[in-house]
Amino acid sequence: MTMLKLQNSNTSSLSQLVIGLGGIVIGLGVGFLTGVNPLMVSAMIFAVALLVSFFAKFEQAVVALLILRSSLDPLSSMQIPAAFAIGVDLLTLLYVTLKLLTGQPIKVDKFWWLFAGWVLLQGLWVILLPLGGLGLDGSYISAAIREWVRLFSWLMVYLIVMQLKDRVNPKKLISLLFLSLIVPLTAAAMQTFLPQSLLPPLLVNRTADSLSTNLSRINGTLGHPNTFGTFVLLFIGLTNWKLRQTKQRLTWFLLLGILAFFLVGTKALFIIVMLAIFILALIAPKLSLTNLIGGLLLFAIVIGLFAMTEFGQERLASITETPLLNPDMDISRAILLSKSDGNSFNWRLAEWFYLLKQWEHSPWLGFGLGTSPFVSHSKLLPHNDYIRALIEGGIIGIGTFIVFLGAQITRLIQLIRSKSISHSQRQLCEVILAISLALPVGMITENIWSHTTFFFYWSTLMAIAGWDTWDKSDGVDSSGSK
């Protein structure tokens, strides 16, 4: 009881401190802005009101931010996603600072410290760029800073979610994350069933495809079909987890079918490969007839729907015109043909060959974070995250990149093997691990590292997976029933 009173007292003191600081800021700001621009006074008061609300309703505010992120990419032209990320960073830092000032503990785990160290290390490439220590000069510093801030935002998401531990039921929090599907799937349904002329301008997919520019690919609200694909795959994994947690499975089977349908609608071949690896990694440790049939059925439905579309048939046929499946075609010929055959895989080979030649000019430290498009002759990302890491960070950079990927897998394996975690927590870790094993394969031909929304939710799930409060809710579904 004493500890409870102390916690309530600390929370009250924190709220009072925030309100006091807000009052000071309002007083100073209003006096200054009134003489500069009266319209800015309203904006400042609104911002402070949001800040106070964030601290007064912390749990609800964080959950709302997590749900909101999946709907913001159509507003990228107005820099809304970037402003959102910076806002989350500032709110997290302010919240943690005030907790420290009031003597309250900050909840972190061992992996967060490793994550923080890795993000801090990436700042080395930002510092070296203007100092002339990399392959490009300081004029590209803005691109490097943007990329580092993007990575830092994932760390802050992890940190702010950790502060929900002991305050929010982990199962309930994951269930609430499914609300982030509503807007993207609604947009995807509109893109699927409505002609583009009837779509709102923000939902029109203007992504050109080298094979079939006239064939529509859905992207929901995620900006690019490939980005939408990894986002959907992540929630296919979470839906699988929910199916193993509840006896009321019809709704979740229906959602799984909807997600599989929209996954095919992205018309991304790499995501089909990732789905196959995810299914294999998930069922292999506990292979049973039921798991095998379920996994094969899901994959058969997805690959069948994909092969039935004209675009899917073109994609599958195009592989036979690459060195991958055509023994009569070598890499040199594929590179030469890439200029005229419209084959995206051959285009990738040509792009990678050119970038590897450029990498030789700065092999150890590369050209700097976020600079690979400036090194490429196409001015695009390499469509290979390993080559991107090599170009931007050199041998040392790609080494840290692979170590970080391996650290995530190691963390999940340690959690799965731990005897102290609950059954539902272990099952979540198994799902995340299966996706973790699919990611490195998808990164061979896609810019998955640029899928910011995916890693926003990835950081959220990695934080929740490590909570030590799962045993309090094990055996209880999101509705609170046994």
Side-chain angles (χ1 to χ4, degrees):
M1 181 65 70
T2 302
M3 292 182 63
L4 180 60
K5 291 180 179 178
L6 180 60
Q7 183 178 4
N8 291 336
S9 176
N10 287 336
T11 303
S12 177
S13 299
L14 179 61
S15 300
Q16 292 174 2
L17 178 60
V18 172
I19 294 173
L21 290 175
I24 295 173
V25 172
I26 291 175
L28 295 175
V30 168
F32 174 76
L33 293 177
T34 300
V36 177
N37 187 345
L39 293 177
M40 295 182 65
V41 176
S42 300
M44 184 174 181
I45 294 175
F46 179 71
V48 174
L50 286 179
L51 180 64
V52 174
S53 298
F54 175 80
F55 284 91
K57 300 290 185 180
F58 176 72
E59 295 89 346
Q60 296 89 332
V62 172
V63 172
L65 291 173
L66 294 176
I67 295 171
L68 179 63
R69 179 59 186 89
S70 63
S71 307
L72 298 180
D73 282 2
L75 304 174
S76 295
S77 60
M78 294 180 281
Q79 302 299 314
I80 298 300
F84 177 86
I86 294 173
V88 170
D89 294 348
L90 293 177
L91 285 173
T92 303
L93 292 173
L94 179 59
Y95 182 81
V96 169
T97 300
L98 291 177
K99 289 197 72 173
L100 289 173
L101 290 176
T102 54
Q104 299 181 68
I106 305 299
K107 300 183 181 71
V108 293
D109 54 26
K110 292 181 180 179
F111 184 78
W112 185 87
W113 286 111
L114 186 149
F115 194 177
W118 182 84
V119 171
L120 184 63
L121 179 62
Q122 302 311 299
L124 174 66
W125 279 267
V126 180
I127 296 172
L128 290 176
L129 189 58
L131 297 178
L134 305 178
L136 293 175
D137 56 42
S139 62
Y140 298 92
I141 186 65
S142 60
I145 292 175
R146 282 196 303 270
E147 178 62 15
W148 188 85
V149 170
R150 192 173 72 94
L151 303 179
F152 180 75
S153 296
W154 302 346
L155 178 67
M156 291 297 98
V157 170
Y158 195 112
L159 181 59
I160 199 69
V161 172
M162 284 297 299
Q163 307 318 304
L164 296 178
K165 190 176 77 167
D166 296 319
R167 304 172 72 167
V168 178
N169 183 303
K171 289 185 177 182
K172 183 176 182 180
L173 179 55
I174 295 176
S175 296
L176 289 171
L177 290 181
F178 280 91
L179 295 176
S180 64
L181 286 173
I182 295 175
V183 176
L185 294 190
T186 300
M190 295 172 65
Q191 293 166 349
T192 302
F193 300 111
L194 294 179
Q196 289 202 0
S197 59
L198 297 181
L199 290 176
L202 291 176
L203 297 183
V204 175
N205 180 17
R206 296 181 175 86
T207 305
D209 189 272
S210 59
L211 284 176
S212 301
T213 56
N214 62 332
L215 292 176
S216 174
R217 300 177 63 191
I218 63 171
N219 62 351
T221 56
L222 275 294
H224 193 283
N226 293 353
T227 310
F228 184 57
T230 53
F231 174 77
V232 171
L233 179 62
L234 180 64
F235 276 91
I236 284 178
L238 290 182
T239 304
N240 177 277
W241 175 77
K242 288 294 295 186
L243 280 168
R244 300 159 74 182
Q245 300 301 308
T246 180
K247 295 180 180 179
Q248 300 175 352
R249 298 184 175 184
L250 181 59
T251 301
W252 297 106
F253 272 122
L254 179 61
L255 177 60
L256 187 63
I258 293 172
L259 291 172
F261 174 78
F262 285 126
L263 189 76
V264 174
T266 64
K267 298 173 183 175
L269 186 58
F270 85 95
I271 205 69
I272 305 298
V273 176
M274 287 183 63
L275 177 64
I277 296 172
F278 164 75
I279 293 173
L280 180 63
L282 192 61
I283 67 175
K286 299 179 180 179
L287 188 60
S288 66
L289 183 59
T290 303
N291 290 339
L292 181 61
I293 293 175
L296 290 177
L297 181 61
L298 175 61
F299 184 73
I301 291 173
V302 171
I303 195 66
L305 290 173
F306 185 79
M308 288 171 59
T309 65
E310 182 181 350
F311 189 92
Q313 293 169 6
E314 289 186 14
R315 282 293 196 193
L316 294 173
S318 68
I319 302 179
T320 62
E321 300 300 326
T322 69
L324 187 65
L325 293 180
N326 189 342
D328 297 326
M329 179 181 292
D330 58 21
I331 294 179
S332 299
R333 177 173 172 77
I335 292 174
L336 290 174
L337 290 175
S338 66
K339 299 178 181 179
S340 58
D341 65 359
N343 190 306
S344 63
F345 189 81
N346 289 338
W347 176 88
R348 282 169 167 79
L349 289 176
E351 186 76 0
W352 301 340
F353 182 79
Y354 175 83
L355 287 171
L356 289 175
K357 285 293 184 182
Q358 297 303 307
W359 162 73
E360 295 176 357
H361 298 292
S362 185
W364 286 102
L365 291 172
F367 294 86
L369 288 182
T371 61
S372 53
F374 303 106
V375 180
S376 168
H377 61 70
S378 67
K379 305 305 177 185
L380 299 172
L381 289 170
H383 290 70
N384 183 312
D385 285 326
Y386 304 104
I387 291 181
R388 175 181 179 176
L390 189 64
I391 291 296
E392 297 184 1
I395 294 175
I396 296 177
I398 192 174
T400 64
F401 179 70
I402 293 174
V403 166
F404 183 62
L405 294 180
Q408 296 179 58
I409 295 174
T410 302
R411 163 70 169 170
L412 292 167
I413 292 175
Q414 289 176 342
L415 287 173
I416 292 171
R417 291 181 175 178
S418 174
K419 297 181 179 179
S420 61
I421 70 171
S422 70
H423 183 63
S424 55
Q425 183 180 7
R426 180 175 287 106
Q427 290 180 330
L428 177 67
C429 291
E430 289 171 353
V431 167
I432 302 176
L433 177 61
I435 298 176
S436 297
L437 296 175
L439 280 178
V441 178
M443 286 178 172
I444 297 174
T445 59
E446 173 52 25
N447 303 310
I448 294 180
W449 196 242
S450 68
H451 297 185
T452 304
T453 307
F454 170 85
F455 284 104
F456 182 93
Y457 291 101
W458 183 259
S459 298
T460 299
L461 292 173
M462 286 293 292
I464 299 173
W467 288 4
D468 56 8
T469 57
W470 281 76
D471 56 338
K472 300 176 183 179
S473 61
D474 200 21
V476 181
D477 64 21
S478 61
S479 64
S481 61
K482 294 289 183 182

